[in-house]
């Protein structure tokens, strides 16, 4: 009998997980009391999260610290057993068939390395080849491809402890992909990297997704990562999914406003308009925000350029950080 | 190559990177070996006549065996430092993200982290101790072979024991408490402080009932000839029984611990 390969790479329904945390109060007496009778409180990390991700998608998973991002990723990676809910990744329940499951996925935790600290990068790669039981020709091909894509040639003989953070991250990415996983989890892959390394990592992730069709889940705090990579964004806060969709839809749901950046000829020039608000000023560069429903972009630009001598103009959406900060703020005000 | 063998090899290579550490470890064991043989030598000289369970020469050899196999032996039975660091730092997520059985993985790590340094240090220690410090070779070939077989099995037993301790980290995280209590118990019980034959008669049944005797004392006595080579089968049987029991216990602990594991977020 023929079974169709499931189209969805990931199906999550009503995922819940809470942690029991020992509460410790400050002070010697309170500490003593806590020792005699520990006081526990329950922290709800995930309170019913549902989504599904198709094969070949590149999805951003964002939210503030403690929102439940890592808990979700760990449940998807088979590392953590949730309290309730259904999870299916590539047709398997991760924590029930952990070993079969993890053989098909790759993980990179940006703040940790999976390379053997004392050994040259090549040795770590070979160890991973053996751990994942990758056949020699497949390994050769994967390695050649990754070395070319990530420019690792010169790094292979170097012990991991001597690598810079950017070099290490490139090697860590390769390490997660040697066994040609169908699904890649990236947890803050650009954390702490300089601008050039960040770009290299992003370019690689994009290529991997587009050319090799690897499904990628990316958690990050770096909104540039999201903006340059992800067509779809899942936003989570307090263990709940706040929004799921393209970045543009998330923007539209929160605010329509645009930002207009004006480079004035005269740095001392005062600038004002009834339909726009100055939100930032750095010398001759002024940033105004306005609602295109009140005043059209063309009209505002026309008004400003007739009144003030202007070098240059730039109209933008508010940066994604702004959108998300506002979304969080709205959530906190609402009961 | 199987994943577990590959881990073994990688551990070896990592260790070879640190020649200075190997040399320093060798020096330390040599120093303590000299001190311990001197102390026991003084006891032997100070005590009057009477029957002794071991001659001074046998005791000296016993002590040097302990020094030579120091890294294999229960002193390092505390949790695998690699795994402890991984659990503390959260690095253990990568251990769980491997398509490997966690208990077997940790058992392999425990075995590799013992066997690798031992192979590097035991041979030079034998050479130096035999040449300068009164250690003797086994009385005959059968004794040497029996001791080798028992020593290999002792390595596995010790690794199985260490893996049980490592598994408790899934509950305690730091493992400091257990790491302090157990080594002293294991050190004394295996004969690494005072050779077990020198313990009073009333203590012998207790020492025999514990698993630690099979980790060091049994193979050492086979080497010296205090146990005849024909006792090898009994020794191996006891070692295997303890190993099996500890592996089963470890597997149970790892399986339960894994289910309740809470990984520190990033």
């Amino acid at each position: 009998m023929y079974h169709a390969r499931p189209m969805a790479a990931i199906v999550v329904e009503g995922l819940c997980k809470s942690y029991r945390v020992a509460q410790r109060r400050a002070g010697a007496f309170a500490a003593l009391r806590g020792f005699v009778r520990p006081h526990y409180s329950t922290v709800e990390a995930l309170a019913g999260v549902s989504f599904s991700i198709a094969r070949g998608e590149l999805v951003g998973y964002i939210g503030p610290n403690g929102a439940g991002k890592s808990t979700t990723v760990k449940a998807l990676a088979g590392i953590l057993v949730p309290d309730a809910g259904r999870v299916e990744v590539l047709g398997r329940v991760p924590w029930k068939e952990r070993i079969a499951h993890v053989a098909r996925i790759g993980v990179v935790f940006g703040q940790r390395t999976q390379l053997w600290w004392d050994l040259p990068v090549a040795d770590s790669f070979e160890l991973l080849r053996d751990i994942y039981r990758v056949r020699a020709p497949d390994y050769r091909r994967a390695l050649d491809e990754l070395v070319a894509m990530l420019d690792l040639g010169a790094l292979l003989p170097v012990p991991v402890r001597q690598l810079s953070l950017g070099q290490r991250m490139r090697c860590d990415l390769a390490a997660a992909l040697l066994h040609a996983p169908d699904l890649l989890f990236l947890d803050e892959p650009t954390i702490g990297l300089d601008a050039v390394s960040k770009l290299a990592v992003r370019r690689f992730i994009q290529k991997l997704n587009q050319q090799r069709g690897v499904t990628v889940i990316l958690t990050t705090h770096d909104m540039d990562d999201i903006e340059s990579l992800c067509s779809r964004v899942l936003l989570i806060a307090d263990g709940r999914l706040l929004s799921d969709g393209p970045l543009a839809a998330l923007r539209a749901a929160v605010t329509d406003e645009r930002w207009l950046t004006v480079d004035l000829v005269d740095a001392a020039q005062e600038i004002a308009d009834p339909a726009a608000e100055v939100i930032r000023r750095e010398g001759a560069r002024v940033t105004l925000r306005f609602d295109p429903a009140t005043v059209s972009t063309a009209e505002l630009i026309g008004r400003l350029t007739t009144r003030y001598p202007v070098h240059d103009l730039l109209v933008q959406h508010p940066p994604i950080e702004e959108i998300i900060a506002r979304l969080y703020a709205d959530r906190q005000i609402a009961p | 190559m199987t994943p577990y063998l590959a881990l073994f090899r990688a551990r070896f290579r990592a260790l070879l990177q640190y020649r200075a550490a190997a040399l320093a470890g060798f020096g330390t064991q040599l120093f303590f070996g000299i001190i311990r043989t001197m102390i026991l030598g003084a006891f032997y000289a100070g005590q009057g006549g009477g029957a002794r369970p071991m001659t001074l020469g046998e005791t000296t050899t016993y002590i040097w065996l302990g020094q030579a196999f120091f890294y294999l032996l229960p002193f390092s039975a505390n949790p695998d430092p690699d795994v402890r660091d991984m659990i503390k730092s959260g690095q253990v997520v990568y251990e769980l993200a491997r398509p490997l059985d966690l208990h077997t993985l940790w058992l392999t790590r425990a075995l590799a982290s013992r066997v690798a340094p031992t192979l590097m240090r035991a041979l030079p220690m034998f050479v130096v101790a035999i040449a300068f410090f009164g250690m003797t070779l086994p009385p005959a070939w059968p004794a040497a072979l029996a001791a080798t077989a028992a020593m290999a099995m002792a390595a596995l037993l010790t690794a199985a024991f260490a893996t049980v301790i490592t598994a408790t980290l899934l509950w305690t995280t730091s493992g400091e408490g257990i790491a302090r209590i157990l080594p002293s118990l294991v050190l004394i019980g295996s004969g690494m402080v005072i050779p077990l034959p020198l313990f009073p008669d009333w203590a012998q049944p207790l020492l025999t009932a514990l698993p630690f005797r099979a980790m060091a004392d049994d193979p050492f006595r086979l080497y010296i000839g205090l146990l005849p080579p024909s006792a090898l089968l009994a020794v191996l049987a006891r070692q295997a029984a303890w190993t099996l029991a500890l592996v089963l216990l470890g597997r149970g602990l790892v399986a339960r611990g894994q289910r309740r594991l809470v990984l520190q977020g990033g």
Side-chain angles (χ1 to χ4, degrees):
Chain A
M1 203 174 138
Y2 172 76
H3 287 280
R5 240 155 69 106
M7 269 317 288
I10 298 178
V11 180
V12 175
E13 269 170 31
L15 190 63
C16 293
K17 177 78 191 180
S18 42
Y19 299 119
R20 209 166 70 120
V21 183
Q23 295 236 305
R24 309 236 190 268
R25 297 193 186 86
F29 180 71
L32 191 67
R33 208 172 52 180
F35 181 79
V36 177
R37 196 196 307 166
H39 184 76
Y40 292 100
S41 67
T42 306
V43 176
E44 214 172 27
L46 291 175
V49 169
S50 304
F51 58 85
S52 95
I53 292 170
R55 280 177 193 268
E57 271 195 286
L58 200 171
V59 177
Y61 195 57
I62 58 174
N65 288 322
K69 296 190 301 289
S70 292
T71 305
T72 314
V73 169
K74 281 164 191 162
L76 293 177
I79 294 167
L80 187 96
V81 183
D83 299 333
R86 188 172 82 91
V87 176
E88 222 172 80
V89 182
L90 305 169
R92 287 195 187 90
V93 178
W95 58 91
K96 288 202 177 135
E97 299 171 75
R98 183 181 68 86
I99 290 177
H101 168 69
V102 296
R104 296 309 318 142
I105 65 165
V107 284
V108 175
F109 295 95
Q111 311 197 49
R112 314 191 161 114
T113 181
Q114 55 188 319
L115 306 168
W116 200 301
W117 198 247
D118 304 312
L119 293 178
V121 175
D123 287 14
S124 279
F125 284 180
E126 278 166 27
L127 181 62
L128 287 166
R129 173 197 66 197
D130 294 335
I131 285 178
Y132 284 94
R133 298 178 168 95
V134 183
R135 294 198 347 260
D138 295 343
Y139 171 74
R140 200 68 247 166
R141 193 168 351 103
L143 184 67
D144 288 347
E145 220 176 293
L146 290 165
V147 164
M149 278 169 96
L150 287 161
D151 192 19
L152 300 180
L155 302 181
L156 290 179
V158 180
V160 173
R161 58 171 188 272
Q162 290 172 14
L163 297 178
S164 76
L165 189 61
Q167 292 170 332
R168 206 212 72 202
M169 181 47 62
R170 270 151 55 207
C171 294
D172 256 312
L173 279 167
L177 292 160
L178 289 168
H179 59 294
D182 301 318
L183 182 60
L184 181 63
F185 292 103
L186 298 171
D187 192 7
E188 307 203 37
T190 59
I191 192 161
L193 299 188
D194 62 44
V196 180
S197 303
K198 271 186 187 179
L199 279 179
V201 167
R202 277 184 208 137
R203 254 201 309 272
F204 173 73
I205 295 171
Q206 194 148 36
K207 240 198 229 166
L208 191 74
N209 174 252
Q210 286 171 357
Q211 294 178 3
R212 292 230 237 141
V214 177
T215 313
V216 182
I217 315 273
L218 170 70
T219 57
T220 183
H221 286 290
D222 188 322
M223 293 309 155
D224 291 336
D225 287 351
I226 296 288
E227 214 144 2
S228 59
L229 288 175
C230 305
S231 52
R232 180 179 165 201
V233 178
L234 300 172
L235 173 64
I236 185 173
D238 299 328
R240 287 175 184 82
L241 206 59
L242 290 192
S243 101
D244 173 0
L247 199 53
L250 172 62
R251 266 207 188 95
V254 179
T255 174
D256 290 332
E257 75 177 30
R258 304 284 156 81
W259 287 12
L260 175 63
T261 304
V262 184
D263 281 343
L264 295 169
V265 174
D266 177 8
Q269 176 82 60
E270 285 298 315
I271 181 166
D273 188 277
E277 182 192 347
V278 177
I279 52 171
R280 200 183 302 145
R281 168 134 210 180
E282 295 149 350
R285 175 166 291 184
V286 183
T287 306
L288 303 120
R289 81 170 170 215
F290 65 97
D291 184 352
T294 332
V295 55
S296 81
T297 311
E299 195 184 330
L300 181 68
I301 290 176
R303 273 208 312 248
L304 290 174
T305 44
T306 48
R307 262 184 287 157
Y308 311 106
V310 166
H311 267 315
D312 200 2
L313 286 163
L314 173 67
V315 184
Q316 284 170 293
H317 290 288
I320 184 83
E321 288 96 329
E322 180 77 18
I323 308 267
I324 283 164
R326 224 176 278 183
L327 200 62
Y328 293 158
D330 289 352
R331 291 277 307 179
Q332 265 151 22
I333 292 160
Chain B
M1 190 179 306
T2 79
Y4 303 104
L5 209 62
L7 264 164
F8 220 90
R9 197 185 52 169
R11 176 83 214 185
F12 234 95
R13 277 200 231 162
L15 210 81
L16 286 172
Q17 305 250 321
Y18 296 103
R19 268 185 310 177
L23 219 63
F26 180 74
T28 310
Q29 273 125 256
L30 194 65
F31 175 75
F32 277 100
I34 294 168
I35 301 276
R36 289 180 59 206
T37 47
M38 278 162 60
I39 292 172
L40 278 164
F43 275 123
Y44 269 81
Q47 197 200 33
R52 286 162 181 156
M54 281 166 96
T55 66
L56 181 58
E58 287 166 347
T59 308
T60 305
T61 301
Y62 191 107
I63 286 171
W64 283 113
L65 282 170
Q67 297 309 107
F69 290 106
F70 186 76
Y71 264 81
L72 202 59
L73 284 174
F75 176 70
S76 38
N78 41 339
D80 188 324
D82 288 352
V83 177
R84 186 175 59 198
D85 290 349
M86 277 193 267
I87 287 179
K88 260 189 184 167
S89 69
Q91 189 85 23
V92 72
V93 292
Y94 280 126
E95 292 277 279
L96 290 164
R98 303 286 176 233
L100 299 177
D101 176 74
L102 194 59
H103 180 268
T104 315
L105 175 60
W106 285 357
L107 183 67
T108 308
R109 282 185 183 284
L111 196 60
S113 67
R114 286 181 166 68
V115 171
T118 304
L119 288 182
M120 280 168 64
R121 291 169 212 205
L123 200 65
M125 188 64 83
F126 268 69
V127 171
V128 171
I130 288 173
F132 302 107
F133 298 107
M135 186 184 182
T136 54
L137 287 167
W141 273 110
L145 292 175
T148 308
M151 209 63 236
M153 196 64 203
L156 196 61
L157 170 60
T158 312
F161 182 76
T163 308
V164 169
I165 309 305
T166 303
T168 64
L169 288 177
L170 294 171
W171 280 266
T172 61
T173 308
S174 82
E176 295 296 333
I178 284 171
R180 292 217 177 132
I181 296 166
L182 273 174
S184 27
L185 187 71
V186 172
L187 266 177
I188 294 168
S190 61
M192 294 294 281
V193 177
I194 298 166
L196 294 191
L198 299 183
F199 274 75
D201 287 341
W202 60 262
Q204 294 298 334
L206 180 71
L207 292 168
T208 307
L210 291 170
F212 313 125
R213 174 159 228 159
M215 294 175 178
D217 179 72
D218 284 342
F220 291 0
R221 282 189 297 154
L222 283 168
Y223 178 101
I224 295 167
L226 290 175
L227 279 181
S230 58
L232 175 65
L233 226 58
V235 168
L236 287 179
R238 200 167 59 179
Q239 286 174 324
W242 274 115
T243 305
L244 186 69
L246 290 168
V247 164
L248 289 177
L249 177 63
R251 294 195 70 82
L253 282 176
V254 168
R256 287 194 55 161
Q258 218 175 318
R259 233 172 294 141
R260 64 171 295 287
L261 187 60
V262 173
L263 295 148
Q264 301 303 315

